[in-house]
């Protein structure tokens, strides 16, 4: 039973394009949604996060769009760079509870120069 | 340098052996975690420790046991490894709303 689902499993875009990574969840009590970025040979690192009281969160080229009614969110990466090539994990929890973070299975993003 | 440090980076062993992985964080956090990342990159929490008290223990096999000497250290021992234990084991610590991960220990069980 996968409570947090991501799609696509892998994505390839050209440098300069916008990459869109999707995430959905099941538990309506989830109210905190971080995205983690993982490069090969490293641990995941927090990229950007959103709380359910907001429908959009922007940080430079990274933007989260959140739809509470549909239990969906997406990560948009504009002006994609080769250095953005990584695996991106959507996660969810209730009330910032790191011990209860549920991770999706990840989207492997490749940026072609 | 403040971060989460894991040793070893890699470990190859045979079925039935005992292994131990080390983790140290210099971030001053109160809570530490062990996650398992399988071959499909799925991340699953195994344990969390807050001030040496186990506060989350997911349904992991009993051959796995966390060991902590102080809040900066959380080691992981596997008593008798099995093939399905092959994975990357990630240690992490947390502040209010962020997990900080180490680089992981990749375990291969032959």
């Amino acid at each position: 039973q996968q409570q947090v689902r991501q799609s696509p499993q892998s994505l390839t875009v050209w440098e300069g394009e916008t990459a869109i990574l999707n995430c959905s969840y099941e538990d309506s009590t989830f109210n905190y949604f971080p995205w983690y970025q993982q490069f090969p040979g490293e641990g995941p690192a927090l990229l950007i996060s959103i709380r359910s009281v907001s429908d959009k969160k922007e940080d430079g080229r990274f933007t989260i769009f959140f739809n509470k009614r549909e239990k969906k969110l997406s990560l948009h990466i504009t002006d994609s760079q080769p250095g953005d090539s990584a695996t991106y994990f959507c996660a969810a929890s209730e009330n910032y509870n790191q011990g209860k973070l549920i991770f999706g299975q990840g989207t492997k993003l490749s940026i072609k120069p | 340098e403040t971060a989460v440090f894991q040793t070893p980076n890699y470990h190859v062993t045979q079925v039935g052996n005992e292994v131990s992985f080390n983790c140290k964080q210099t971030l001053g956090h109160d809570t530490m975690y062990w996650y398992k990342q399988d071959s499909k990159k799925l991340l699953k929490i195994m344990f969390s420790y807050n001030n040496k008290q186990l506060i989350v223990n997911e349904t992991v096999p009993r051959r796995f046991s966390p060991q902590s000497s102080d809040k900066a250290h959380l080691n992981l021992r596997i008593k008798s490894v099995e093939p399905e234990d092959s994975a990357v084991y990630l240690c992490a610590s947390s502040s209010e709303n962020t997990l900080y991960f180490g680089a992981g220990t990749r375990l291969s069980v032959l």
Side-chain angles (χ1 to χ4, degrees), chain B residues 31-85:
Chain B
T31 308
M32 296 183 70
Y33 311 81
W34 276 102
Y35 278 81
K36 180 181 180 180
Q37 187 169 40
D38 63 21
S39 58
K40 296 183 179 179
K41 290 200 173 284
L42 191 61
L43 279 161
K44 286 190 175 177
I45 189 168
M46 300 180 72
F47 304 101
S48 69
Y49 252 69
N50 181 287
N51 283 333
K52 298 173 66 174
Q53 297 301 313
L54 183 67
I55 58 174
V56 172
N57 184 349
E58 299 295 312
T59 54
V60 299
R62 299 180 90 175
R63 60 182 180 276
F64 290 85
S65 59
Q67 298 170 321
S68 178
S69 56
D70 55 58
K71 74 173 190 177
H73 296 83
L74 184 64
N75 300 332
L76 180 67
R77 185 180 80 147
I78 312 175
K79 207 170 182 179
S80 176
V81 297
E82 298 188 5
E84 61 264 32
D85 298 337

Side-chain angles (χ1 to χ4, degrees), chain A:
Chain A
Q1 178 190 4
Q2 187 70 19
Q3 293 189 53
V4 177
R5 290 191 174 86
Q6 292 184 245
S7 64
Q9 191 172 356
S10 63
L11 176 66
T12 301
V13 300
W14 292 101
E15 183 176 356
E17 291 185 337
T18 296
I20 300 176
L21 289 65
N22 300 304
C23 180
S24 63
Y25 62 98
E26 296 179 3
D27 193 334
S28 57
T29 64
F30 289 154
N31 56 13
Y32 170 63
F33 304 90
W35 286 80
Y36 280 78
Q37 180 188 53
Q38 184 178 28
F39 295 106
E42 297 181 12
L46 179 65
L47 179 66
I48 187 173
S49 64
I50 194 168
R51 295 182 66 187
S52 59
V53 293
S54 302
D55 56 13
K56 180 180 177 182
K57 178 77 172 290
E58 195 170 348
D59 184 358
R61 297 184 294 107
F62 301 90
T63 302
I64 300 174
F65 293 93
F66 179 68
N67 185 322
K68 187 174 183 178
R69 184 179 61 84
E70 294 187 6
K71 297 182 185 174
K72 291 181 179 179
L73 57 159
S74 59
L75 175 67
H76 292 225
I77 307 173
T78 58
D79 188 24
S80 296
Q81 303 297 310
D84 296 331
S85 297
T87 299
Y88 291 81
F89 293 95
C90 172
S93 74
E94 183 179 355
N95 296 332
Y96 285 133
N97 191 333
Q98 304 303 313
K100 293 291 187 182
L101 258 185
I102 306 297
F103 284 86
Q105 74 274 35
T107 292
K108 185 175 181 181
L109 176 65
S110 299
I111 309 298
K112 285 190 174 180

Side-chain angles (χ1 to χ4, degrees), chain B residues 18-30:
Chain B
E18 177 176 317
V19 298
S20 187
F21 305 145
N22 301 313
C23 180
K24 172 186 174 181
Q25 57 99 359
T26 58
L27 296 163
H29 294 159
D30 288 332

